[in-house]
Amino acid sequence: MTDEPRPQGMPPAGPPPQWTGQPQPWPVQPNAQQYPGYSPYPPALPAPANGVWLGVLSLVLGVLGCVVPLLPIDLSGVRAYLALPFGLAGLACGLVGVIGRRTGKPVSGVGIGVSAIALVLGVIMLGNQVAG
């Protein structure tokens, strides 16, 4: 064997120490100076994406899809079509808000329901316009 210097923190070369009957101190935990990037704790899980706004947007679009076609203003020719874009956009935002690790899933679920009601309202209004 060569007498090369050993890295800091390594035990001296040779046979392992024998038990002498005396208590030995606990091994020292490695610190950041000895081992950069070392942590005795497991890595934390990433925080969920902020999906509250997708749920809120879905809910707002669904409510607009239910309310705008029923407003007492002159919407000749387009009234039957107004609920469909709001309902589809709200449904898409609600589905994206429910999928994955996100917060605000209940709001997204309510937004999906209201957007579905807006789509049904739009289909009924469109059917009445075609039949009438």
Side-chain angles (χ1 to χ4, degrees):
M1 264 198 197
T2 62
D3 291 331
E4 296 177 9
R6 297 189 52 86
Q8 182 181 3
M10 296 292 292
Q18 298 295 318
W19 173 254
T20 60
Q22 299 294 324
Q24 300 293 322
W26 288 97
V28 178
Q29 290 288 330
N31 57 29
Q33 288 80 22
Q34 289 176 326
Y35 302 101
Y38 172 79
S39 173
Y41 306 106
L45 294 175
N50 191 3
V52 175
W53 297 111
L54 285 171
V56 170
L57 181 62
S58 171
L59 186 60
V60 168
L61 287 171
V63 168
L64 285 175
C66 290
V67 171
V68 170
L70 303 176
L71 290 176
I73 56 176
D74 184 25
L75 297 172
S76 301
V78 296
R79 183 178 301 273
Y81 299 100
L82 280 177
L84 298 176
F86 286 117
L88 287 174
L91 191 64
C93 289
L95 288 175
V96 171
V98 168
I99 296 172
R101 294 192 54 188
R102 296 185 183 273
T103 57
K105 287 187 179 186
V107 178
S108 296
V110 172
I112 289 172
V114 174
S115 297
I117 292 171
L119 285 174
V120 169
L121 178 67
V123 168
I124 290 171
M125 291 178 76
L126 194 60
N128 285 340
Q129 183 182 3
V130 171

